[in-house]
Amino acid sequence: LELQLKDLPSLVRGAAFFGAGGGGDPYVGQLMLEQALVAGASIRIIDKEALADGAFVVTVACMGAPTVMTEKIPNIISLEKTLRHMEKILNRQVDAIIPLEIGGINSTLPLILAAKTGLPVIDADGMGRAFPEIQMVTFGVYGCGISPVIVGNEGGDIVVVDAANNKQGEDLARSVVTQMGGQAQICCYPMTGAQIKATAVTGTLSLALEVGRAIEQAHGSGLDPFDHLFQHISELDPERAIRVLFDGKVVDIDRQTRGGFNFGSIQLQGIERFTGTLRVQFQNENIVAYRNDKMVAVVPDLIIVMDRETAEPLTSESIKYGQRVKVVGLSVPAMMTTPEALSVFGPKAFGLDHTYQSIAALEF
Amino acid sequence: LELQLKDLPSLVRGAAFFGAGGGGDPYVGQLMLEQALVAGASIRIIDKEALADGAFVVTVACMGAPTVMTEKIPNIISLEKTLRHMEKILNRQVDAIIPLEIGGINSTLPLILAAKTGLPVIDADGMGRAFPEIQMVTFGVYGCGISPVIVGNEGGDIVVVDAANNKQGEDLARSVVTQMGGQAQICCYPMTGAQIKATAVTGTLSLALEVGRAIEQAHGSGLDPFDHLFQHISELDPERAIRVLFDGKVVDIDRQTRGGFNFGSIQLQGIERFTGTLRVQFQNENIVAYRNDKMVAVVPDLIIVMDRETAEPLTSESIKYGQRVKVVGLSVPAMMTTPEALSVFGPKAFGLDHTYQSIAALEF
């Protein structure tokens, strides 16, 4: 698959959907990608099965609080430097790039770097969505090490974190990123092709593209964008549950940027058949939703706040008071809800005293 | 010079003196050194002139807030790992170690590592005292680079900071150290013998030893320990000014541990010929002293709070309410008061809106 200019709006819309409120504004990434494609670059997306078992693969991403990223945009020169530094340290040339997460700007950054370097990007990722912390990946859940984490900024500083474990890698890299001004570029999770095949969430770049297309198809066609999207996702992946969790207007927003994250919550007042309130709590990404104080969705399932009319996915930093929205829940692939996976990105990993239940199982 | 068991109390007392209120409690270092010497290790101290110009020299130190170091003591295994990591990265064996600072625990750590590795320690350092930040060294003032800064902890994490400039190296390493729990081991300033000869403050290990000895000689001899010490220092280094800035009792102490430092101040009420008050402000080390609101000493000159009877140097974290103390001012070598030096560790580098004046020049 070679990415085309006309795919970009769909891809970015889908990436915003899988961002689940976080992931950083993918629009900046869209502009960068457009620029690269217009300049004649080609971006090759490959299946993970096409990788040789011994291939050398890394992730690249932008790390930081999404609120900061809206003003301090990712720096591609520095992103490439982190990858080159990884090559230098491990004395090996990178064969392919895999996105750390498919949500938000970190789905497009690997593509932009691919345009710059000619490296292929794998149609898969480590989260099947966006999560706030870099140890929250299936790579790590299923045995891959985060280290070294190379952190680079536009000023030319490079920090190499060799951590005793993946969570410590996140904590140390986060403190560096915070010191660097709340946003920096990283390269981490050096892996083999065999490790990618065993641990990555498959087909997520093309899934994001399809989700974006489905939303667009509904525009101006008279179709209900939510019905159309739900049907499309069910066809692409019949094992996923998807549903509208709430329909309402925003009556309160609370946002704080601290410790390198955005924390906060959004409060909705119901419209039409949805009575009462819904409260969505986020740490960069939406992590739990309570309807009239009863939990109706929780991580790792996706909670996506979307424009009520257009089904445009909204990030938590862009949501405004009074906005009319629908909140959608989407379940995740089975490999993301095993006990090992839930210990890394289930409710307790976010400090929530809940047991994970799929949106398919939660009473409603 | 080979360090003897009987030298340790003097060395550590002298190191506390040059710690100027900070530097961390050197007593822990004394115990570690005793253990090494009793076990048969030999510790060789060499003049910087004995170095080959092409020799490879590094600094090692413990970085963090002294208050934290009293509970989380330096880890020598991890300290050696940072040095070995430096050797690995730069692909070169270290020939000698130089203390980053002569004040406090960082004067003894290089000696402990010397006992473990057999490497010689140079009788010189980068501060001629203790300073709170690792870019505040004559090495950096006169052109040596801080990077890479290797940061290691007892948990086996290793972080390598390659910073665009020395201050940025401090800031990034500090954020890592803070994340590691407020204290960690570092190896930095890879230098050549020629660079050491051009930039280090000479003879400071032996000077610390002499200062400690002078204080001890006065104990039980009937000599006034302050007179004896002052005379001794004037003989060793006639260019230094030294004087009692105040004699009083502690009536207020304010201490905060934040951002990886101890900040605060000590307020004294005068005794005998010293009327009014003295306020000493510190950031790890004492940085400025005001007598009745008039500045009487400021960095880089040393401000040392000492027990009024025994002339025992006191660290800012050990000083207690009601304690009777004398505050001593000591000027620094000329290479530490050039415009380049003052821009790195003069009053403005500490956020003080003062112009440096030597204690020799300040009205009193």
Side-chain angles (χ1 to χ4, degrees):
Chain A
L1 174 66
E2 208 181 297
L3 195 69
Q4 306 297 320
L5 205 52
K6 66 173 171 46
D7 298 328
L8 296 188
S10 316
L11 175 66
V12 164
R13 194 166 266 122
F17 179 84
F18 285 101
D25 186 355
Y27 181 62
V28 173
Q30 179 178 346
L31 294 181
M32 289 182 182
L33 268 177
E34 266 176 25
Q35 201 175 33
L37 289 175
V38 166
S42 83
I43 300 171
R44 203 154 41 95
I45 298 172
I46 61 172
D47 280 351
K48 66 180 192 180
E49 302 310 327
L51 281 173
D53 279 353
F56 181 46
V57 184
V58 297
T59 64
V60 292
C62 183
M63 184 170 186
T67 42
V68 176
M69 284 181 213
T70 57
E71 301 197 354
K72 190 166 185 279
I73 66 169
N75 183 298
I76 301 304
I77 295 169
S78 150
L79 189 69
E80 182 176 2
K81 271 192 192 160
T82 63
L83 180 138
R84 298 303 175 204
H85 202 82
M86 176 73 90
E87 289 183 321
K88 191 178 126 194
I89 285 180
L90 299 185
N91 196 24
R92 182 137 191 225
Q93 282 207 314
V94 168
D95 297 309
I97 307 172
I98 185 163
L100 187 72
E101 58 186 341
I102 205 59
I105 194 160
N106 281 332
S107 60
T108 51
L109 279 189
L111 299 165
I112 299 162
L113 191 57
K116 195 160 188 300
T117 60
L119 290 168
V121 176
I122 301 164
D123 184 8
D125 78 308
M127 299 185 181
R129 47 167 295 166
F131 278 127
E133 301 180 3
I134 64 173
Q135 88 284 9
M136 295 179 163
V137 289
T138 52
F139 310 138
V141 167
Y142 298 109
C144 301
I146 200 171
S147 297
V149 183
I150 320 291
V151 187
N153 66 5
E154 67 293 346
D157 303 308
I158 287 269
V159 175
V160 181
V161 175
D162 251 303
N165 62 62
N166 291 2
K167 172 71 167 89
Q168 184 70 354
E170 152 72 27
D171 290 345
L172 290 171
R174 181 79 48 185
S175 69
V176 169
V177 167
T178 303
Q179 180 61 43
M180 283 178 172
Q183 182 270 97
Q185 288 65 232
I186 60 170
C187 177
C188 50
Y189 288 104
M191 294 176 283
T192 64
Q195 284 179 310
I196 296 287
K197 290 176 202 173
T199 69
V201 188
T202 310
T204 44
L205 257 179
S206 41
L207 184 62
L209 199 53
E210 289 299 328
V211 163
R213 277 182 189 148
I215 295 171
E216 279 149 41
Q217 279 161 3
H219 289 174
S221 68
L223 293 167
D224 177 274
F226 290 92
D227 289 347
H228 186 65
L229 173 66
F230 289 12
Q231 194 186 332
H232 204 72
I233 287 184
S234 300
E235 278 163 20
L236 287 167
D237 188 348
E239 292 185 2
R240 298 255 192 164
I242 186 162
R243 65 154 57 133
V244 173
L245 299 172
F246 204 70
D247 185 1
K249 69 172 181 184
V250 179
V251 292
D252 196 25
I253 311 169
D254 170 43
R255 286 189 201 101
Q256 295 169 28
T257 303
R258 65 183 147 86
F261 297 106
N262 303 348
F263 288 93
S265 66
I266 304 153
Q267 185 94 13
L268 305 177
Q269 188 74 50
I271 298 177
E272 292 180 6
R273 70 182 177 97
F274 285 84
T275 53
T277 63
L278 186 86
R279 190 163 62 86
V280 177
Q281 199 174 309
F282 59 85
Q283 175 186 348
N284 288 8
E285 285 72 35
N286 301 320
I287 58 175
V288 63
Y290 303 97
R291 185 176 173 192
N292 301 328
D293 295 323
K294 197 165 142 264
M295 183 176 83
V296 292
V298 69
V299 279
D301 282 357
L302 289 92
I303 299 161
I304 306 136
V305 183
M306 302 171 85
D307 183 278
R308 179 167 202 264
E309 306 301 328
T310 63
E312 205 66 57
L314 304 170
T315 58
S316 48
E317 71 266 21
S318 73
I319 289 172
K320 288 179 180 58
Y321 176 85
Q323 204 161 5
R324 265 71 173 165
V325 300
K326 281 187 178 169
V327 180
V328 169
L330 173 67
S331 71
V332 291
M335 75 182 296
M336 289 182 65
T337 60
T338 61
E340 305 93 289
L342 292 178
S343 75
V344 176
F345 43 64
K348 289 189 177 58
F350 289 88
L352 298 173
D353 194 20
H354 299 306
T355 302
Y356 169 72
Q357 284 180 276
S358 164
I359 59 148
L362 276 165
E363 256 189 84
F364 181 72
Chain B
L1 173 67
E2 207 179 299
L3 195 68
Q4 306 297 320
L5 204 53
K6 66 173 173 44
D7 297 329
L8 296 189
S10 316
L11 176 65
V12 163
R13 194 166 266 121
F17 179 85
F18 285 100
D25 186 354
Y27 182 63
V28 172
Q30 180 179 348
L31 295 180
M32 290 181 180
L33 268 177
E34 265 175 27
Q35 203 174 33
L37 289 176
V38 166
S42 82
I43 300 170
R44 204 155 40 96
I45 299 172
I46 61 171
D47 280 352
K48 68 180 191 181
E49 301 310 327
L51 282 171
D53 278 354
F56 182 45
V57 184
V58 297
T59 64
V60 293
C62 182
M63 186 172 185
T67 41
V68 176
M69 285 181 211
T70 58
E71 301 196 354
K72 189 164 186 280
I73 66 170
N75 184 297
I76 301 304
I77 295 168
S78 149
L79 188 68
E80 182 176 2
K81 271 192 192 158
T82 63
L83 181 137
R84 299 302 176 204
H85 202 83
M86 177 73 89
E87 287 182 324
K88 193 179 126 197
I89 286 180
L90 298 186
N91 196 24
R92 177 130 196 230
Q93 282 207 315
V94 168
D95 298 309
I97 306 171
I98 185 164
L100 188 71
E101 57 186 343
I102 205 60
I105 194 160
N106 281 332
S107 60
T108 51
L109 280 187
L111 298 165
I112 300 162
L113 191 58
K116 194 159 188 299
T117 59
L119 290 168
V121 176
I122 301 165
D123 184 9
D125 78 307
M127 298 183 181
R129 47 167 296 164
F131 278 128
E133 302 181 1
I134 64 174
Q135 88 284 8
M136 293 177 165
V137 288
T138 52
F139 310 139
V141 167
Y142 297 109
C144 302
I146 200 171
S147 296
V149 183
I150 321 291
V151 187
N153 66 4
E154 66 293 346
D157 303 308
I158 287 270
V159 175
V160 180
V161 175
D162 252 303
N165 62 60
N166 291 2
K167 173 70 167 88
Q168 183 70 351
E170 151 73 28
D171 290 345
L172 291 170
R174 182 78 50 184
S175 69
V176 169
V177 167
T178 303
Q179 180 61 42
M180 284 179 171
Q183 182 271 97
Q185 288 65 234
I186 61 169
C187 178
C188 51
Y189 288 103
M191 293 176 281
T192 63
Q195 284 179 310
I196 296 287
K197 290 177 203 172
T199 70
V201 188
T202 310
T204 45
L205 258 179
S206 42
L207 183 62
L209 199 54
E210 289 298 327
V211 162
R213 278 181 188 148
I215 295 171
E216 278 149 42
Q217 278 162 2
H219 289 175
S221 68
L223 293 168
D224 177 273
F226 290 91
D227 289 346
H228 186 66
L229 173 65
F230 288 12
Q231 194 186 336
H232 204 71
I233 287 184
S234 299
E235 278 164 20
L236 287 167
D237 189 349
E239 291 185 3
R240 299 253 193 168
I242 186 163
R243 65 156 56 137
V244 173
L245 299 172
F246 203 70
D247 184 0
K249 71 173 180 182
V250 179
V251 291
D252 196 25
I253 311 169
D254 170 43
R255 284 190 202 98
Q256 296 170 28
T257 303
R258 65 184 147 84
F261 297 105
N262 303 348
F263 288 92
S265 65
I266 303 152
Q267 184 94 16
L268 306 177
Q269 187 74 51
I271 297 178
E272 293 180 6
R273 72 180 176 97
F274 285 85
T275 53
T277 62
L278 186 87
R279 191 164 61 84
V280 178
Q281 200 176 309
F282 59 85
Q283 177 186 347
N284 289 9
E285 285 72 34
N286 302 320
I287 57 174
V288 63
Y290 302 98
R291 184 175 173 194
N292 301 329
D293 295 323
K294 196 165 143 269
M295 183 175 85
V296 291
V298 69
V299 280
D301 282 356
L302 289 91
I303 299 161
I304 307 135
V305 182
M306 303 171 87
D307 184 278
R308 178 167 203 264
E309 306 301 327
T310 64
E312 205 67 58
L314 304 169
T315 59
S316 49
E317 71 265 22
S318 73
I319 288 172
K320 289 178 182 59
Y321 176 84
Q323 207 162 3
R324 266 69 173 166
V325 301
K326 281 187 176 168
V327 181
V328 169
L330 173 66
S331 70
V332 291
M335 75 183 297
M336 291 182 64
T337 58
T338 62
E340 307 93 289
L342 292 178
S343 75
V344 176
F345 43 64
K348 293 196 173 53
F350 290 87
L352 298 173
D353 193 20
H354 299 307
T355 301
Y356 168 72
Q357 286 180 275
S358 163
I359 58 149
L362 277 165
E363 255 187 83
F364 182 70

